[in-house]
Amino acid sequence: MCGRIFQIHNIAQLLQFAQTRRVRNAANFNPTYNMGPTNYIPAIRHVEDDDNFQEYEDQNNVEQEHNQPSDNEQQIEDQSQEVIEKQKNKRGLDFFKWGFQTKFNLIINARIEEMHEKHTFKPFLDKKRCVIIADGYYEWNKKKEPFKFSTNKPLYLAAMYTDDDEIFVLTRDAFGEYAKVHDRMPVLLEDDEIDLWINPKVGFFDIIDKKILNSQKKIWGQVQVTKVAPYVNNIKEKSEKCLITLEEYKDQQFKNGIGKFFQKKQTQTTQETQEPQDKTKEKITKSLDD
């Protein structure tokens, strides 16, 4: 299903992930460890000439002037800048409100296999495709237990947006480790699929089966699934506590709760045992002195 993500990077970092310097709606973004429907989330989209995007201005220019990079670092920077320049005319970083409000309900995700069958989604198939940038996402199993899905790099989720700056995630049938938690999962994209997905000149049907839903992609096997604490269940909880594993949570609860009782009991037992030992030691010492 995918109804929560987490994204804690700032605008400058997100622009690097998106490989662009163009940004829109940045004032709406608030990075947190627990983003849900109606929150604004970052996405890469195709930029037209008349779109209201702005060039991002780095606020750390002054500091960078005093910290000149080495030749190797400069080469990497030049290469990164070259990639950015190639992409900037067709990529932009935008921030959309999560949830497509229809006449009847709020759509936060949609089945990619059924998109072409429903009149509601047909206007978005070719012209409104985008890619959500997430550090990871959360999912719940049938027992309502939360799990975290993430890697050591950003995840790119296939999505679509509306003219009203709304966005919804695309899902597919789950398999492997994903299916052990939920029967649906987000459609994850490889880095080299982003431009293909957001390109309005490439038809939806031309890429959906052959490329986007290919179950042999590397990304499917790179995601780690971790059972986390129930903190994330509360949408108001935005802190790093949402990433705490269930085992860490249990340890904390034990130390802060019943663990204190056992610790106190153990301390008392130690003291009770120590007193006879001290008296015995005193008698032995006295005997030796005599």
Side-chain angles (χ1 to χ4, degrees):
M1 177 180 174
C2 187
R4 302 275 184 86
I5 69 170
F6 60 97
Q7 177 52 267
I8 59 173
H9 288 89
N10 59 35
I11 302 296
Q13 292 168 322
L14 290 171
L15 285 165
Q16 289 181 348
F17 298 149
Q19 295 185 349
T20 183
R21 303 297 293 179
R22 284 181 164 180
V23 64
R24 179 176 175 270
N25 289 331
N28 294 327
F29 180 59
N30 182 28
T32 75
Y33 290 90
N34 194 2
M35 295 181 178
T38 71
N39 291 153
Y40 279 82
I41 56 179
I44 305 168
R45 54 164 284 199
H46 180 85
V47 177
E48 300 291 351
D49 292 337
D50 58 348
D51 286 332
N52 187 27
F53 278 79
Q54 296 179 340
E55 288 285 323
Y56 176 75
E57 295 183 6
D58 195 340
Q59 301 299 319
N60 298 318
N61 284 336
V62 176
E63 180 180 344
Q64 291 175 359
E65 289 176 359
H66 295 287
N67 296 280
Q68 293 298 326
S70 64
D71 293 341
N72 186 43
E73 291 174 332
Q74 186 61 53
Q75 183 179 5
I76 295 175
E77 177 65 25
D78 292 342
Q79 292 173 349
S80 299
Q81 191 61 37
E82 183 180 354
V83 172
I84 289 174
E85 290 301 322
K86 288 180 179 179
Q87 300 291 349
K88 67 183 293 186
N89 290 328
K90 54 186 177 181
R91 282 191 186 189
L93 177 67
D94 210 339
F95 294 88
F96 296 106
K97 187 177 182 179
W98 192 353
F100 169 33
Q101 185 64 60
T102 68
K103 183 178 179 180
F104 303 101
N105 57 357
L106 182 71
I107 299 174
I108 64 172
N109 48 56
R111 294 172 175 262
I112 195 168
E113 310 95 324
E114 302 174 359
M115 299 287 295
H116 65 285
E117 300 174 354
K118 299 184 177 180
H119 178 75
T120 302
F121 300 125
K122 287 184 178 180
F124 311 123
L125 296 185
D126 295 333
K127 303 294 184 181
K128 297 292 184 180
R129 300 194 302 256
C130 64
V131 180
I132 293 171
I133 307 174
D135 288 334
Y137 70 93
Y138 303 104
E139 190 57 88
W140 285 257
N141 62 14
K142 292 181 179 180
K143 295 180 180 179
K144 305 300 182 183
E145 298 169 321
F147 290 77
K148 176 190 69 173
F149 294 75
S150 63
T151 67
N152 58 359
K153 61 180 182 179
L155 292 179
Y156 298 106
L157 284 60
M160 293 185 180
Y161 66 97
T162 74
D163 290 332
D164 294 323
D165 289 341
E166 300 167 322
I167 194 171
F168 55 96
V169 182
L170 303 186
T171 67
R172 57 162 296 162
D173 284 334
F175 58 90
E177 291 297 313
Y178 302 88
K180 294 179 181 180
V181 179
H182 199 278
D183 61 354
R184 300 294 296 179
M185 59 187 283
V187 176
L188 302 180
L189 303 179
E190 303 279 11
D191 293 7
D192 60 0
E193 293 176 326
I194 295 176
D195 288 323
L196 186 66
W197 176 251
I198 67 174
N199 190 343
K201 295 181 179 179
V202 178
F204 178 80
F205 294 104
D206 294 333
I207 57 172
I208 197 61
D209 290 325
K210 297 178 183 178
K211 187 76 174 175
I212 303 304
L213 292 180
N214 178 10
S215 61
Q216 302 303 313
K217 294 190 298 186
K218 292 181 181 179
I219 186 61
W220 301 124
Q222 294 175 345
V223 176
Q224 296 181 342
V225 183
T226 309
K227 200 170 187 178
V228 294
Y231 292 118
V232 70
N233 294 344
N234 182 4
I235 189 59
K236 295 181 180 180
E237 179 57 68
K238 303 292 186 181
S239 73
E240 193 173 1
K241 290 197 299 185
C242 294
L243 300 186
I244 294 176
T245 67
L246 183 62
E247 291 303 316
E248 292 173 325
Y249 174 74
K250 288 181 178 179
D251 288 343
Q252 289 180 358
Q253 295 299 303
F254 181 80
K255 291 176 182 178
N256 296 331
I258 194 170
K260 287 185 176 180
F261 170 79
F262 282 113
Q263 187 176 17
K264 183 177 180 181
K265 188 77 173 176
Q266 186 177 16
T267 301
Q268 290 175 344
T269 303
T270 302
Q271 290 175 347
E272 292 170 358
T273 305
Q274 188 65 37
E275 288 178 2
Q277 288 178 349
D278 291 341
K279 290 181 179 179
T280 302
K281 184 177 179 181
E282 183 179 353
K283 289 181 180 180
I284 294 173
T285 304
K286 185 177 180 181
S287 176
L288 290 174
D289 289 340
D290 293 342

